[in-house]
Amino acid sequence: EGKNMGTSEKLEPKTIQIQITPPFWKTPIFIFSVIVLIIIIVSLIIRKRIKQIQQQSDIQNNFNKRLAETKMEALQSQMNPHFIFNAMNSIQNFIIDSKTDDALLYMGEFSKLIRQTLVNSSKPLIKLADEIQYLKTYINIERMRFPYGIEFNLEVHKSVDINKIEIPPMLIQPFIENVFVHAFDSDSKGSKLNVQFSLVNSELHCKISDNGNGIDKSKLNRIHESKGIKLVQERIDLFQSNKENI
């Protein structure tokens, strides 16, 4: 607003329009863009996490499924037709030879083995004490089939707590079975079987030894491809991988 100092005439007021632009981070477009970006990032993170959870769930489900399959295969391997046939044939021979007491004893041990197999196969881990009891029952049954008998010795080192250590069930029996299949025959005399458990650097070691016939080179490939031992290795690998995932 101005004024003429000589005539005291007031001049028409002048108006100047000044527009102050806010910084870009305060503009509605920027704020909206940031909100949209945050929503997208959060959405991607959530989707990725959901995918990871689904993958972990699939891995665990596949592990549980394969573990159940190997347990069933191991159960079938334990109770294979050949073993059952041998058991029934042994009972029949005892009866034919009028060895009623031996037949009853054999049937008792055989029924105990089946019961222990079904009970143990339903558990992911069992105490070493239960596995040892299972092995004793199995070995007793197999020993009764040999006319000259088999001396059996089980050693557990004092450092091994059989009531605290747990292992997958039916893990050692396939190796014992190989001894009776390949090491001993009906003509074997003075046969010995030793099973030793010990701890080495906090690892459980099981050593199985015998004084049998040794490994026939012609049967080496068949032994190497033993289904029971393959199942043992696969079950151990499954437990190892599951432990790493945990």
Side-chain angles (χ1 to χ4, degrees):
E1 184 177 347
K3 179 180 179 181
N4 190 327
M5 297 298 293
T7 62
S8 298
E9 180 183 2
K10 289 185 179 182
L11 303 177
E12 289 293 330
K14 302 294 183 181
T15 303
I16 299 176
Q17 297 291 337
I18 300 176
Q19 183 179 2
I20 301 176
T21 303
F24 73 93
W25 60 84
K26 291 186 178 181
T27 60
I29 295 178
F30 179 81
I31 295 174
F32 177 76
S33 300
V34 171
I35 293 174
V36 172
L37 183 61
I38 292 174
I39 293 174
I40 292 174
I41 293 175
V42 172
S43 177
L44 291 175
I45 292 175
I46 293 174
R47 289 181 60 184
K48 183 178 180 180
R49 181 56 182 161
I50 291 175
K51 187 176 181 180
Q52 289 177 344
I53 293 174
Q54 289 175 341
Q55 289 176 343
Q56 290 176 354
S57 178
D58 291 340
I59 292 173
Q60 186 64 36
N61 290 337
N62 291 335
F63 168 80
N64 291 334
K65 180 180 178 181
R66 185 55 194 150
L67 183 59
E69 290 174 353
T70 56
K71 285 174 63 178
M72 183 57 64
E73 290 172 3
L75 174 61
Q76 293 171 350
S77 177
Q78 306 289 74
M79 295 291 101
N80 63 72
H82 180 70
F83 173 71
I84 295 177
F85 172 79
N86 285 341
M88 295 298 100
N89 189 51
S90 297
I91 295 173
Q92 181 180 0
N93 290 335
F94 284 138
I95 295 175
I96 292 175
D97 295 338
S98 299
K99 297 179 179 179
T100 307
D101 292 340
D102 290 338
L104 292 175
L105 177 61
Y106 196 100
M107 289 181 63
E109 290 295 305
F110 183 66
S111 62
K112 184 193 299 183
L113 182 71
I114 293 178
R115 182 170 60 252
Q116 290 176 340
T117 300
L118 296 175
V119 171
N120 293 346
S121 64
S122 64
K123 303 174 182 178
L125 295 171
I126 62 173
K127 293 180 180 179
L128 181 58
D130 295 332
E131 180 75 358
I132 290 176
Q133 183 59 48
Y134 181 84
L135 292 177
K136 287 181 178 179
T137 303
Y138 177 79
I139 292 171
N140 285 338
I141 290 176
E142 291 285 31
R143 289 169 64 196
M144 293 178 68
R145 295 194 300 106
F146 292 85
Y148 297 104
I150 295 175
E151 181 182 339
F152 169 58
N153 182 42
L154 175 69
E155 298 179 16
V156 180
H157 193 268
K158 60 182 180 181
S159 63
V160 179
D161 191 338
I162 61 176
N163 292 309
K164 288 186 177 181
I165 296 177
E166 293 186 335
I167 64 173
M170 300 181 294
L171 201 64
I172 304 174
Q173 183 271 344
F175 299 96
I176 301 291
E177 181 180 3
N178 270 350
V179 173
F180 287 101
V181 172
H182 302 288
F184 305 138
D185 53 42
S186 58
D187 297 326
S188 298
K189 295 182 179 180
S191 301
K192 296 181 180 180
L193 170 63
N194 296 315
V195 179
Q196 297 174 316
F197 290 94
S198 61
L199 280 181
V200 180
N201 296 327
S202 300
E203 293 180 348
L204 177 65
H205 284 217
C206 177
K207 180 180 179 181
I208 301 169
S209 58
D210 63 79
N211 65 342
N213 300 323
I215 299 178
D216 188 344
K217 291 183 179 180
S218 64
K219 300 179 181 178
L220 189 60
N221 290 335
R222 188 175 65 180
I223 296 173
H224 179 70
E225 296 175 355
S226 170
K227 183 178 180 181
I229 294 178
K230 278 188 174 182
L231 285 173
V232 169
Q233 185 59 56
E234 184 175 358
R235 292 174 68 202
I236 291 175
D237 292 341
L238 283 170
F239 275 97
Q240 292 278 14
S241 62
N242 188 56
K243 182 178 180 181
E244 291 175 359
N245 290 335
I246 293 174

